[in-house]
Amino acid sequence: QDATESQADFAIQAANLLLFVVDGREGLLPLDESLAAKFRKMGKSPVLVVNKIDEPERNYLFSEFGKLGFEHVVSVSAEHGHGVEKLSELLLSLLPPSLLLPDAIEESRTRIAFIGRPNVGKSSLCNRLLNMERLIVSDVPGTTRETVELDLDYDAGENNETWKFRLFDTAGLKRRKRIDTSLDYFSAVRTKHAIEEVDIVFLVLDAREGVTKQDKILAGHALEVGKSLSILVNKWDLALESFMKDPLPGYEDEKDFRKKYLRSIRKELFFLPDSPISFVSAQTGYAMEDLLRVAKDLDLRMDKSISTSALNKLIGEMWEHRPPAKIKGKRFKVFYAVQVENRPFRIKLFCNREHKLGDPYRRYLEKGIHQKFGLAGCPLKFSLAGKEARYKEEKKS
């Protein structure tokens, strides 16, 4: 409880504007007066929002709240919408201009989302990075129900460079069968929306549990919407502690254990674009700075331009080394390739048979392009244009 109150006090102090919501039907309560006194002691003058005034002409016990002495008092009905427009106008007049046009003035920040199952340590990772307890961390799975956004400025120590990040701590996503409340459902929706809004996604695994089916689904969704993806194996200190106490057969030492653990993750998440994998510990702070460097590298990587000549040379060499299997006596063939988009990388392939690029050969091309041009962790999408499609377009024109 003390930790929660401390976090609430921090949020109050950090806020540019407070809305103090009270119940207009119940009238002024002792708790309302205590909170008002606390706000004044902290030097805050909130907007007093008297809610549940469903019939404005009645006013209920609205007049009682004048005793609190706040300058701005607005009566509203959240259920029926009465007074909301007036409240919005007041808030716009009170907020600093810098907060009203954030997109126009805000410095560019690399947006990072931490996703994963409940209780894998997403909030703990954010807390460790921020070096303060800004988020509620609990051993109870599912504590974070909302996506929380926090800014982090990191002194990279390179030419006095500061890396600016925005961290998105998302709710832990449960398996579909376990989403049994509307709160769980909307938390899942907000988490998926956060994935779509960010630049980099860190999929957080629990080192003691490894990769689960839900982890595969989350990773697949991040790649589907075109986000760079890295894997964080959290609680690595606990996994090593268990290994040291009771070494598993088949491992020479701690280094061998880590090497084979890494190999098992690659095997389970074989569909990833060679995503970076980091072993970290939110509890001890182990390798935490490394993950910020991974995020920075991935963000820069997503802006790369691939040379058209080098791309076509590579695809030609790959075709000669391993041509695709024949389908009805014909092989899939790329005549020309060009990068047409970043974030995600999109490559247009002009080919002989646009519907005949099978998944195995698609993965073969993706792997070769990732390795050749240093695109590890970045999703790659192909757009195909076949001879027949081009002929139809020429005929229409």
Side-chain angles (χ1 to χ4, degrees):
Q1 184 178 357
D2 291 341
T4 303
E5 287 180 1
S6 176
Q7 289 155 0
D9 289 347
F10 177 85
I12 293 169
Q13 290 284 14
N16 294 94
L17 184 62
L18 288 179
L19 272 67
F20 181 17
V21 184
V22 294
D23 190 325
R25 290 191 175 185
E26 290 191 6
L28 185 61
L29 301 176
L31 179 59
D32 297 329
E33 295 181 287
S34 297
L35 287 172
K38 181 176 184 176
F39 296 148
R40 279 192 289 270
K41 187 175 180 181
M42 298 173 76
K44 295 291 183 177
S45 180
V47 173
L48 183 63
V49 182
V50 185
N51 191 25
K52 299 187 182 179
I53 308 296
D54 300 331
E55 299 174 65
E57 64 277 3
R58 289 184 55 186
N59 272 336
Y60 299 95
L61 299 170
F62 179 78
S63 60
E64 292 186 8
F65 296 98
K67 297 177 183 178
L68 297 179
F70 291 120
E71 180 182 357
H72 302 289
V73 183
V74 182
S75 62
V76 301
S77 169
E79 184 175 355
H80 299 289
H82 302 318
V84 173
E85 185 175 348
K86 180 181 177 182
L87 175 61
S88 299
E89 292 175 355
L90 175 62
L91 297 182
L92 287 173
S93 70
L94 295 175
L95 282 171
S98 60
L99 296 179
L100 300 179
L101 297 171
D103 294 336
I105 64 167
E106 185 180 38
E107 293 179 278
S108 176
R109 289 184 177 273
T110 300
R111 296 163 298 174
I112 304 172
F114 293 86
I115 66 171
R117 295 174 292 110
N119 213 34
V120 293
K122 299 181 296 298
S123 295
S124 297
L125 287 168
C126 288
N127 285 338
R128 172 62 69 168
L129 286 171
L130 293 163
N131 199 29
M132 62 177 68
E133 295 293 324
R134 286 193 184 181
L135 305 181
I136 300 173
V137 181
S138 169
D139 290 332
V140 181
T143 300
T144 304
R145 297 298 189 121
E146 298 283 347
T147 298
V148 180
E149 300 179 32
L150 295 163
D151 286 347
L152 169 66
D153 292 347
Y154 174 68
D155 181 6
E158 301 172 3
N159 300 320
N160 295 321
E161 187 179 2
T162 299
W163 296 346
K164 295 182 178 294
F165 299 99
R166 175 157 295 160
L167 311 181
F168 290 67
D169 176 35
T170 66
L173 286 190
K174 301 178 180 179
R175 292 167 54 186
R176 188 179 296 272
K177 291 181 180 178
R178 295 185 179 178
I179 296 178
D180 50 10
T181 68
S182 58
L183 187 57
D184 288 333
Y185 171 77
F186 286 112
S187 292
V189 170
R190 283 188 285 270
T191 294
K192 289 182 176 179
H193 178 68
I195 293 172
E196 294 166 4
E197 290 294 309
V198 300
D199 303 298
I200 312 296
V201 172
F202 280 117
L203 174 62
V204 184
L205 307 180
D206 188 320
R208 300 168 299 177
E209 299 176 9
V211 180
T212 68
K213 183 178 179 181
Q214 185 67 5
D215 295 321
K216 295 177 183 179
I217 293 172
L218 285 167
H221 178 70
L223 295 178
E224 184 182 347
V225 297
K227 303 303 174 182
S228 290
L229 180 67
S230 179
I231 308 300
L232 293 181
V233 184
N234 190 30
K235 306 181 185 179
W236 185 241
D237 56 318
L238 299 180
L240 286 181
E241 185 180 326
S242 298
F243 177 78
M244 297 300 289
K245 286 182 178 178
D246 186 18
L248 297 171
Y251 299 97
E252 296 178 5
D253 51 26
E254 182 181 314
K255 186 177 179 180
D256 186 47
F257 172 64
R258 176 172 176 151
K259 181 180 178 181
K260 290 179 179 176
Y261 193 106
L262 180 63
R263 190 184 304 161
S264 70
I265 294 177
R266 292 283 185 206
K267 183 178 179 181
E268 290 293 326
L269 299 172
F270 66 91
F271 55 89
L272 296 186
D274 197 23
S275 294
I277 299 176
S278 303
F279 294 84
V280 300
S281 170
Q283 183 68 29
T284 66
Y286 173 70
M288 291 299 296
E289 291 188 4
D290 293 347
L291 73 87
L292 292 179
R293 296 185 179 277
V294 169
K296 188 66 176 178
D297 288 344
L298 283 173
D299 192 43
L300 292 173
R301 209 170 291 167
M302 287 290 279
D303 289 324
K304 275 190 176 182
S305 294
I306 302 174
S307 164
T308 301
S309 59
L311 176 63
N312 282 277
K313 181 183 178 183
L314 173 66
I315 291 177
E317 291 172 348
M318 292 181 70
W319 195 94
E320 291 293 337
H321 177 73
R322 177 186 156 186
K326 288 183 177 180
I327 300 177
K328 295 183 180 181
K330 293 184 178 180
R331 296 186 197 276
F332 174 82
K333 175 74 174 178
V334 177
F335 300 118
Y336 185 74
V338 61
Q339 178 188 355
V340 294
E341 191 178 348
N342 289 79
R343 297 181 180 269
F345 287 99
R346 190 177 300 278
I347 294 175
K348 191 162 189 177
L349 303 177
F350 294 93
C351 52
N352 59 343
R353 313 173 79 195
E354 63 176 310
H355 299 299
K356 300 301 180 182
L357 177 58
D359 286 340
Y361 205 75
R362 180 188 294 270
R363 286 196 292 270
Y364 170 64
L365 291 178
E366 287 176 351
K367 185 173 182 179
I369 294 171
H370 275 113
Q371 291 179 346
K372 176 66 176 179
F373 300 107
L375 304 180
C378 303
L380 178 63
K381 297 179 181 294
F382 292 125
S383 297
L384 278 64
K387 274 184 174 179
E388 187 178 343
R390 295 205 309 276
Y391 173 73
K392 286 179 180 178
E393 288 174 6
E394 291 170 4
K395 202 169 182 181
K396 286 178 184 178
S397 60

